[in-house]
Amino acid sequence: MEHLVQHAVTTIRERYWEPLSLDELARSAMVSKYYFLRVFTRVTGVTPGRFLCAVRLQEAKRLLLSTSLTVTDISVRVGYSSTGSFTRRFTEWVGLSPTQYRKLSLAPGDKREQPAPTETVVPDPAPRVRGSGSVTGVLRTAGTVLSPVYVGAFDSSMLQGTPASWTNASASGRFTLARVPAGTWYIHAVAHGHHPECAAQAELTPLTATVGPVRVKSEAVHRLGITLTPPDWTRPPILSALMDLDPQPMAA
């Protein structure tokens, strides 16, 4: 039944600004909404509602970087009827408010109107709790990585929000996440580069990996192997602002 999920994902990506409901997506797949929900969640790792929200926020990030539209206008364009609801969800899932994200990502020479100089806002790690361990491992990739690899411990299988701990590393090398609070986390890694399957693309390809859930225990060291690959259609968009901090490629 994977083709039903792929059809639903295509619908979400093409009509994200519409008030798509679980009932409507299930009807288009001609199955019960309960069966559709189970299959969609099994294939993508998230519910249809969370996938839809991620696609909307990804488009909002693009509009913040490429246009001078106000936050209110952007919230309407991506399907929100309330600017307040949009701003709260964007801040929670991206790790910065829409205004902070726009200021953080402005590059020298940007043709849009530059804001007054301000201190750069960088997403801080989530508050640490008592008792922590560490996660260490080896990064691998079948492609060519041309940017730092950001690795972080997140509380969701989606790459969203603020990590509990993060670091950057070189591809095909070791990484260590120190002081990861005891608990259950997903270890996400992302970089920009080229992959043989995407050789025809002129732009850099995101290379990602997710391992988890990982149960981190206090004072324990957890060892993982992570292989970066291009995301396929089943993966929700990357939302965490941490992964947008350095989009410029390194010298080959």
Side-chain angles (χ1 to χ4, degrees):
M1 304 299 285
E2 189 173 283
H3 68 283
L4 298 178
V5 179
Q6 189 166 13
H7 178 268
V9 168
T10 299
T11 299
I12 288 172
R13 293 188 183 278
E14 293 179 348
R15 298 168 50 193
Y16 58 85
W17 61 88
E18 298 180 18
L20 296 172
S21 66
L22 176 61
D23 287 332
E24 182 176 355
L25 291 171
R27 278 198 304 270
S28 68
M30 294 184 292
V31 295
S32 76
K33 67 178 180 180
Y34 303 106
Y35 178 76
F36 173 76
L37 178 61
R38 288 197 303 272
V39 173
F40 190 100
T41 304
R42 185 176 70 244
V43 172
T44 67
V46 298
T47 64
R50 289 178 67 82
F51 202 107
L52 172 60
C53 185
V55 171
R56 287 175 169 175
L57 295 181
Q58 179 192 42
E59 176 63 9
K61 289 171 65 178
R62 188 190 71 80
L63 292 172
L64 284 166
L65 301 188
S66 63
T67 75
S68 297
L69 292 171
T70 66
V71 172
T72 298
D73 288 340
I74 290 174
S75 69
V76 172
R77 286 202 178 196
V78 300
Y80 283 82
S81 58
S82 165
T83 304
S85 296
F86 164 74
T87 299
R88 286 191 295 272
R89 182 59 58 86
F90 188 99
T91 303
E92 177 187 358
W93 284 29
V94 176
L96 297 172
S97 71
T99 301
Q100 289 173 329
Y101 182 79
R102 173 173 271 171
K103 289 179 179 179
L104 174 67
S105 302
L106 281 173
D110 195 312
K111 294 181 179 179
R112 290 180 288 115
E113 182 180 356
Q114 299 282 346
T118 183
E119 183 179 356
T120 298
V121 180
V122 178
D124 294 322
R128 291 172 182 151
V129 297
R130 206 171 216 180
S132 61
S134 63
V135 177
T136 184
V138 178
L139 293 166
R140 300 182 180 89
T141 178
T144 303
V145 174
L146 299 175
S147 76
V149 181
Y150 287 101
V151 186
F154 293 79
D155 62 3
S156 171
S157 60
M158 286 175 50
L159 214 173
Q160 67 177 52
T162 305
S165 175
W166 71 277
T167 187
N168 56 46
S170 299
S172 301
R174 300 197 64 85
F175 72 90
T176 298
L177 292 174
R179 296 184 295 279
V180 180
T184 302
W185 304 97
Y186 290 84
I187 309 303
H188 291 279
V190 65
H192 298 274
H194 295 296
H195 190 272
E197 297 177 1
C198 308
Q201 296 184 3
E203 297 183 356
L204 293 179
T205 299
L207 302 172
T208 68
T210 301
V211 178
V214 176
R215 179 68 181 175
V216 176
K217 298 180 179 180
S218 180
E219 308 301 327
V221 177
H222 304 265
R223 293 176 173 82
L224 303 174
I226 296 180
T227 301
L228 296 162
T229 61
D232 61 24
W233 65 267
T234 67
R235 299 194 198 177
I238 298 169
L239 295 179
S240 176
L242 175 64
M243 305 309 176
D244 299 326
L245 290 180
D246 188 5
Q248 300 301 318
M250 298 185 298

